[in-house]
Amino acid sequence: MSAETYRDAWGIPHLRADTPHALARAQGRVTARDRAWQLEVERHRAQGTSAAFLGPGALSWDRLARRARLADTARRCFTALERKDPETAAWVRAYVDGVNEGLAGNGQPAPEFARIGLTPGHWDPWTPLGVWLATHILFAGFPAKLWREHVSTHLGPEAVALFAADGPGTAGSNGWLVSGERTTTGHALIAGDPHRFIEDPGVYQQIHLSCPEFDVVGLAVPGVPGVAHFGHTGTVAWAITNAMADYQDLYRERLRRTGAGVEALGPDGTWHRAARHTETIDVAGDAGQRETVEVEIIETDRGPVIAGGPEGLDDSTPAALSLRYPPRVTADLGFGALLPLLRARRVADVDRALDAWAEPVNVVQAADTEGGLLHRVAGRVPVRPAANGLRPVPAWEPGHEWTGWHTPPRAGLTDGVAVMANQRGPSAPLGVEFAPPHRADRIAALLAGREHWSAADLPAIHTDTHLASAGPLLDHLAALTGLPASTALAPEAAALRDRLLAWDRRMDADSADAAVYAAVRAAVVRRLAAHPALASASAAPAYPEVLQPWLALVPRVAYALEHLLRTDDLYGIDRAATVRAALEEVAARPPAGTWGDTHRLAPWRALPDTAAAREDEPALSGDHDCVLCTSPVPGLTDRAARGPAARYVWDLADRGNSRWVVPHGASGLPGSPHHRDQQPLWLDGELAPVVTDFDRLTKESDD
C-alpha cells in the first residue's frame, strides 16, 4: 500500500499510507482534486501574481505581496528548513509533489479555470510556506499602527484608547477547554470556532491522516501539509485562538536616491545602501486586454518597504514605511512544529512541538487522555521598546531595535475551565489591543451554569447570541425616559425606545427587535462618524488600498461604539442628542423585517458570481460581540463577511464522539454533492460526527 483515499458521508477525505511522506503526498493530491481553484488562487496570492487573472481589484494585494517580499521570504525559510530539518523539508516536498500530481491529473477542473481561460500552474517546494505567510501576514494587524498614528495626530493621543477594539481586519476565535473534573466522562473536552473571513471554498479543510506513526483528524489549511491549528490524535487534542500579540513593526524611513541606487538613514546617523530592484505585475483587463505595472522593491536594514519610497506616498504624506516581521528576520516560519504535532501522544509532546512555532502567535489549549492539560502562548514575539507596538517609529533614531524574543507565557485553568476569545489574557504582555471581554465572559458564564458537560452539550455555546455590548446604547435610550413634556419623545420614538429596553439582547436571525436595535446602532454610528468633531479623522492617509480597511472611520466608530458612548467626554459631542436623533430617525422608518433579513452571509470569492452569491447569502444570527461572532460593519452594512470558519468539539474520552463542521462543504468544486452539504448544519449550529474507523468509510482510490 502506498496510499489509500476514503470518504465519509460528508465527502471528507480520509487518507491512509505507509509513511508520513507518502501520506503528505496523498494529502497534496486529494487537496488538488477537491480544491484546485482555491490552490491556484492561494499560489498566485503568495507570489503576488493574482491580478494577472483576477484583474485590477487584486493589484493592491499583489503590490503588498511583492513589496513585503512574501515569496522571497518563503524561499528563504524553505532553504533554511532544508538545512536545519531535512525530514520536514522532504515531507513538504512530498506534499507539493502530490499537489502537482493532483493538478495535472484532474480530469474535471473547477469551472473557474474555463471561465477565465486559466490552466493550473506548478507548485514549488516553498509554495506551502508562501501560502502560510500570505494567509497570516495581516493576522497581527500591523496596519492598526497606522490607524493609531492617524487618529492620534488628528484627535489627540487619548483617542488611541477610545478607539481600541477588535479591529475590522483582525481575525479572532473562540476556544474553551473543560477539564475532566467538569465533564460527564472524566476526560477533557476542547471546543471552539475560529473567526475568519468566510471564503468559498472555505479556509479550513477537514481531513483524516493515518499512517503507522500517527492517526490524526483535524482542520488543515489548504495548500499546507499536516494539521496545524486544530487536531486530535486519539490520545491528545489541541486547538488555538489568535493571541492578539504584536510581533510586526513599522518603521518610518528616510530614503534618498543616489547614482548607485537607494540609501536609507540608519539609527547611527549615516546613510546605508538599501537593496533595490523592480518587478512587473501583469493585470488582466476587459476583453482580453492586459496591462503591465512596474513595482519598485526596496529593502532597508529594518525590512522591506511596503509603502512609499524616496519620493514619499504623495504630497501630503512624504514618507516611506518598512515592515519588520519575524520570518523575514529569522528565515523560520515554524514548519518544524508540524510533524511533531502529528506525532504527539501527550500534552508534553504538543508543548515541545510548539516551542518551534513562529507565526501567527496563538493561545493554545490542549488535553490528553491521561489528564494532562496545556494552556500556553505559542509563537515568536520580539523584545523591543513599547513605542514600536503603538505606531510607526523613526528608523533613523536609535532605540527601536529588536533585542531578543519573549518567552511565551503560560496560564492555568479556573474552576476546571480555560476560556480564550481574543480578550486580554495570558498573552497580555505581548499585545497592545485585544478583543472586548464579552465573548469570553459569556462563554465562562455559560460553562459555569452546568456542573458537568458532555461533547453533545457544547455546540449550544457556539451559537449563543446574547449581545452584552448593547448595554451602553441601551443605557442612553433608558436616559430618554421621564423627560419633561416640552422635550419628550414623539410617541413613535417613545414606543421604539420602550420596545428596545424590553428586548432580550439576543441577535437572533428571526428577531424583529434585533433588527430595530441594529438599525438604531447603525444610525448612531453614522451620526458620530459624520460629526464635525471627528471630521479630521475621516480622511485616511494615502496608504495602499489593501491597508485602507484599518483606516476607515466608520468601522472604527462601529467597533469602538461602547467606549465612545461610555467615556466621560467625546470631544464635546452631545451623545444624548445623537442617540435621540438616531432613535427618531429609525422610528420614522423602522425596519419592516427581522435581523436575518439584512444580516446575511457574504462569503469572499476570488471570482464573484452573482448567482452563487444569491444562493449563499443566507440569514445569520449573531453579531460581532456575540459568541456566535458573525460580524457586520454597523453604519456601513449588516452583511457579514467574517464568522466561524469552522466549529469543532474534541472529546478526549472517545474521539468518535467528537464533532465538526465548516461553512459550505468539504469540496471546492461547484456541482459536487459535498460543495454545500454542510451549510445547513453550519447555519443551524449543528455538527457532523467525526468518523475515524476506515471500515465505516467508502474507499475512493489507491494511489
Side-chain angles (χ1 to χ4, degrees), residues 105-442:
N106 194 338
Q108 292 183 320
E112 291 91 343
F113 289 103
R115 183 176 161 191
I116 59 173
L118 187 69
T119 301
H122 179 80
W123 279 50
D124 293 300
W126 58 266
T127 303
L129 285 76
V131 169
W132 186 264
L133 187 57
T135 299
H136 297 108
I137 189 65
L138 294 175
F139 235 61
F142 71 80
K145 298 181 182 184
L146 301 178
W147 164 256
R148 293 188 205 111
E149 182 174 64
H150 171 64
V151 75
S152 178
T153 298
H154 291 283
L155 299 179
E158 70 280 357
V160 172
L162 275 178
F163 284 91
D166 186 11
T170 306
S173 307
N174 296 321
W176 59 94
L177 185 159
V178 183
S179 67
E181 65 191 79
R182 294 287 307 279
T183 69
T184 58
T185 64
H187 289 273
L189 297 165
I190 300 174
D193 52 353
H195 306 149
R196 296 201 180 196
F197 286 98
I198 303 299
E199 300 182 14
D200 182 12
V203 298
Y204 283 114
Q205 173 194 33
Q206 298 153 299
I207 202 160
H208 177 196
L209 304 173
S210 181
C211 67
E213 289 187 43
F214 52 79
D215 186 284
V216 182
V217 294
L219 299 167
V221 173
V224 178
V227 173
H229 286 156
F230 309 93
H232 196 326
T233 73
T235 59
V236 65
W238 67 91
I240 62 95
T241 59
N242 186 349
M244 307 296 283
D246 177 72
Y247 52 90
Q248 302 164 328
D249 282 353
L250 289 174
Y251 289 83
R252 292 196 304 274
E253 297 278 1
R254 286 182 178 168
L255 305 177
R256 70 180 184 185
R257 296 195 187 277
T258 69
V262 173
E263 293 180 339
L265 184 60
D268 59 358
T270 61
W271 292 89
H272 298 261
R273 179 77 175 269
R276 180 204 171 274
H277 69 278
T278 60
E279 298 181 5
T280 57
I281 301 175
D282 290 333
V283 183
D286 295 333
Q289 300 297 312
R290 306 189 75 80
E291 178 188 3
T292 298
V293 176
E294 189 173 90
V295 180
E296 183 177 35
I297 311 299
I298 299 172
E299 186 163 8
T300 74
D301 292 340
R302 271 66 57 194
V305 173
I306 62 165
E311 292 74 35
L313 287 156
D314 64 8
D315 292 341
S316 64
T317 314
L321 289 173
S322 64
L323 173 66
R324 189 168 181 83
Y325 58 101
R328 190 69 185 165
V329 174
T330 64
D332 182 11
L333 258 179
F335 269 45
L338 298 183
L339 267 174
L341 277 175
L342 296 178
R343 290 169 171 153
R345 295 291 181 269
R346 300 288 179 263
V347 295
D349 303 324
V350 172
D351 198 13
R352 281 191 296 270
L354 292 175
D355 286 339
W357 193 266
E359 76 163 91
V361 179
N362 295 322
V363 176
V364 183
Q365 296 170 334
D368 63 34
T369 53
E370 294 185 353
L373 302 172
L374 180 67
H375 188 196
R376 64 165 286 186
V377 177
R380 191 167 288 140
V381 179
V383 176
R384 76 281 207 211
N388 290 39
L390 296 176
R391 56 180 60 90
V393 292
W396 58 89
E397 292 182 1
H400 298 293
E401 299 83 3
W402 290 10
T403 57
W405 304 99
H406 284 280
T407 300
R410 296 172 179 271
L413 278 66
T414 302
D415 297 327
V417 303
V419 177
M420 279 304 302
N422 319 118
Q423 82 279 18
R424 191 174 296 273
S427 59
L430 307 180
V432 177
E433 291 186 26
F434 297 84
H438 305 303
R439 287 185 282 120
D441 290 348
R442 181 64 176 171

